[in-house]
């Protein structure tokens, strides 16, 4: 089965072509492209949904054509095909930039050998999600290719399978598993009993872990997204063995549930910065280290607790924050000492991409174009 996948839930426009073969679900990444909007949003210190939407609408067709070409699936027609401009116009009415490029480019593109189109329908920023959904619907209409709705978070769970090479296998996960999904918008603990069998058993009650990293970074004068820079400075503090003269709270560390709260931790950092007044480079690094340690402490502790209660054989981590080295180190140590395997995505696939959407799309069922499943669901749960 060859799957074209489309992802526009936040600030990355991503398209991939994936083929899946045989019982052991051998996958080949035929192409994989991500257009990141980070530089644009960095100027404003965060992602504005309407700005993200416009960028997706502008970039998605060129990115799609590049992805097709890369997969050797792009054939230009000598005689342009006649498209149902009225229907497409209605589908893309809210994305005029996209409509214009679509009607210009698509008549000369020959239908490629693709068996289904997978698209992220949620969770995420609704205006951004709509661009991918409407584009996928228009493609499906023009070419008569079945369309599959995908939950973005399922993509993050499956993103542990590719190992950095073009080919990989979606072989069995060690089940049951506990998945820790940590990004700029989500912090969730999910029980995984099999592909498609997910249950959220804990989540943040306020800010997401990545959001806390970004806010702390901003307080310390760093650019968006701040996670990697906070983490880099934390490492500097560890290497220099800088004194730890202050302690930040570990919110909800000992509550019996699997929920999190990061907003109090963020406020504690704000008060600390105010109290310290003039902050030199070493103090900045020491704050980053204490903040990272506090965050990692609660993430690891709750994940291990969930893994123990659920008798998990493995722990699966996904989302932007899963790139965090300290999280990787501490979680691996704790889980391995308890006999649980830990799986992280390769670094490139910690952030949003369409390979993971293609994988989830392989397991999901196609739905008719008129289905309510193709409505952007900002708060979609499992
Ligand atoms: O999954 P993602 O790319 O986008 C969504 O939010 O969906 O996650 C981005 C988040 C940002 O908040 C970013 O600061 C954080 O992941 N992040 C990190 C690291 N790399 C990215 N946080 C901590 N340590 C990192 N190394
Ligand atoms: Zn994501």
């Amino acid at each position: 089965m060859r799957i074209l996948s489309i992802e526009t839930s936040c600030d990355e426009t991503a398209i991939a072509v994936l083929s899946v073969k045989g019982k052991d679900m051998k996958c080949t990444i035929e192409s994989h492209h991500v257009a990141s909007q980070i530089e644009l949003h960095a100027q404003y210190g965060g992602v504005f949904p309407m700005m993200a939407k416009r960028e997706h609408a502008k970039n998605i067709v060129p990115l799609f054509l590049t992805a097709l070409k890369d997969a050797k699936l792009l054939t230009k027609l000598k005689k342009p095909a006649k498209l149902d401009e009225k229907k497409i116009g209605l589908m893309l009415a809210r994305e005029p930039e996209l409509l214009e490029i679509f009607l210009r480019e698509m008549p000369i593109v020959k239908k490629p050998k693709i068996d289904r189109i997978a698209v992220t329908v949620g969770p995420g920023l609704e205006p951004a999600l709509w661009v991918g959904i409407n584009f996928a619907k228009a493609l499906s209409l023009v070419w008569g290719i079945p369309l599959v709705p995908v939950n973005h978070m399922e993509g993050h769970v499956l993103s542990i399978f590719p190992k950095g090479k073009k080919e990989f296998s979606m072989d069995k996960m060690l089940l049951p598993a506990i998945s820790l999904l940590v990004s700029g918008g989500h912090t969730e603990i999910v029980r995984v009993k099999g592909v498609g069998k997910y249950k959220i058993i804990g989540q943040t009650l306020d800010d997401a872990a990545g959001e806390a990293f970004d806010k702390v970074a901003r307080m310390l004068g760093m650019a968006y997204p701040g996670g990697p820079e906070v983490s880099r400075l934390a490492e500097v503090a560890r290497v220099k063995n800088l004194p730890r003269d202050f302690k930040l709270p570990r919110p909800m560390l000992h509550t019996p549930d699997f929920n999190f709260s990061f907003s109090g931790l963020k406020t504690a950092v704000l008060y600390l910065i105010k109290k310290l007044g003039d902050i030199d480079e070493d103090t900045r690094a020491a704050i980053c280290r204490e903040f990272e340690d506090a965050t990692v402490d609660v993430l690891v502790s709750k994940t291990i607790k969930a893994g123990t209660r659920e008798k998990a054989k493995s722990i699966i981590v996904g989302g932007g924050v899963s790139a965090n080295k300290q999280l990787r180190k501490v979680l691996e140590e704790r889980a391995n000492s308890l006999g649980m395997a830990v799986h992280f995505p390769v670094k490139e696939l910690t952030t949003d991409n369409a390979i993971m959407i293609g994988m989830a799309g392989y397991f999901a069922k196609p739905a008719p174009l008129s289905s309510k499943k193709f409505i952007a669901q900002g708060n979609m749960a499992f």
Side-chain angles (χ1 to χ4, degrees):
M1 184 192 293
R2 182 181 277 130
I3 306 156
L4 167 79
S5 51
I6 299 168
E7 154 65 38
T8 62
S9 69
C10 188
D11 58 352
E12 258 102 29
T13 319
I15 310 258
V17 178
L18 197 71
S19 64
V20 187
K21 268 193 213 134
K23 265 204 163 147
D24 59 347
M25 293 179 281
K26 210 167 157 236
C27 301
T28 306
I29 302 167
E30 298 189 356
S31 71
H32 147 57
H33 289 270
V34 180
S36 174
Q37 304 172 5
I38 279 185
E39 276 179 27
L40 173 79
H41 297 297
Q43 300 167 38
Y44 303 93
V47 182
F48 284 91
M50 292 313 282
M51 206 185 287
K53 172 194 149 125
R54 245 189 340 267
E55 284 299 296
H56 288 308
K58 214 167 66 190
N59 297 333
I60 199 161
V61 175
L63 196 74
F64 162 73
L65 293 175
T66 309
L68 271 195
K69 190 165 174 220
D70 211 28
K72 303 196 171 44
L73 292 170
L74 182 66
T75 311
K76 295 262 171 106
L77 296 168
K78 289 211 175 77
K79 188 168 163 256
K82 208 163 159 29
L83 304 187
D84 189 336
E85 294 197 2
K86 202 167 153 209
K87 258 195 182 159
I88 296 167
L90 282 173
M91 258 177 194
L92 300 176
R94 287 181 296 174
E95 290 83 23
E97 310 92 329
L98 171 53
L99 177 64
E100 193 217 311
I101 313 175
F102 193 97
L103 292 180
R104 190 179 68 224
E105 300 288 340
M106 296 311 293
I108 50 167
V109 181
K110 190 177 166 198
K111 177 180 172 178
K113 285 202 173 70
I114 284 170
D115 302 299
R116 54 168 66 172
I117 300 171
V119 64
T120 304
V121 294
L125 307 171
E126 289 196 357
L129 284 162
W130 273 119
V131 180
I133 295 171
N134 287 336
F135 174 59
K137 283 173 87 169
L139 275 186
S140 171
L141 174 80
V142 168
W143 286 334
I145 298 175
L147 193 58
V148 188
V150 168
N151 180 314
H152 180 85
M153 302 313 282
E154 175 169 19
H156 277 303
V157 173
L158 300 176
S159 67
I160 56 161
F161 284 122
K163 300 286 184 264
K165 297 204 176 111
K166 239 179 126 174
E167 303 210 321
F168 63 93
S169 185
M170 292 194 280
D171 40 10
K172 288 205 177 79
M173 306 181 201
L174 284 172
L175 296 169
I178 282 295
S179 181
L180 170 69
L181 301 176
V182 267
S183 69
H186 290 87
T187 302
E188 291 172 353
I189 293 189
V190 181
R191 185 179 69 209
V192 183
K193 286 200 166 164
V195 171
K197 292 184 187 153
Y198 312 107
K199 186 173 171 36
I200 297 176
I201 58 169
Q203 58 194 314
T204 182
L205 304 179
D206 40 59
D207 293 352
E211 193 180 353
F213 267 95
D214 295 338
K215 287 180 176 166
V216 165
R218 197 166 168 175
M219 291 173 203
L220 291 169
M222 303 167 193
Y224 169 87
E229 183 62 5
V230 169
S231 183
R232 191 187 66 78
L233 282 182
E235 195 48 32
V236 169
R238 277 183 208 106
V239 171
K240 283 187 161 179
N241 201 13
L242 294 174
R244 311 178 75 163
D245 299 333
F246 33 77
K247 182 107 180 127
L248 289 167
R250 270 70 175 155
M252 298 184 74
L253 183 65
H254 299 296
T255 57
D257 53 29
F258 304 119
N259 292 331
F260 303 95
S261 165
F262 292 103
S263 132
L265 173 59
K266 168 197 74 188
T267 311
V269 175
L270 184 68
Y271 287 145
L272 177 64
I273 294 172
K274 278 197 178 145
K275 195 177 110 195
L276 292 173
D278 253 356
I279 298 178
D280 61 16
E281 263 310 292
D282 278 357
T283 311
R284 246 159 65 104
I287 295 172
C288 289
R289 177 194 190 176
E290 176 59 12
F291 165 75
E292 184 175 72
D293 282 348
T295 307
V296 167
D297 269 357
V298 280
L299 289 176
V300 170
S301 161
K302 294 268 162 135
T303 307
I304 293 291
K305 191 153 79 172
T308 308
R309 191 192 76 175
E310 297 294 327
K311 299 189 174 49
K313 295 213 170 74
S314 65
I315 291 184
I316 292 167
V317 194
V321 184
S322 72
N324 187 276
K325 286 192 188 134
Q326 187 68 4
L327 174 65
R328 287 184 176 226
K329 182 170 163 263
V330 179
L331 187 55
E332 214 141 53
E333 279 167 10
R334 291 278 307 277
N336 289 347
S337 74
L338 294 167
M340 292 181 243
V342 189
H343 302 285
F344 289 95
V346 293
K347 175 116 192 304
E348 187 194 0
L349 301 185
T350 55
T351 49
D352 294 346
N353 63 85
I355 296 175
M356 66 183 198
I357 303 306
M359 287 190 276
Y362 173 78
F363 295 107
K365 275 202 191 78
L369 277 187
S370 57
S371 166
K372 286 227 164 62
K373 290 182 174 164
F374 298 112
I375 288 175
Q377 298 159 65
N379 296 315
M380 188 180 197
F382 277 120

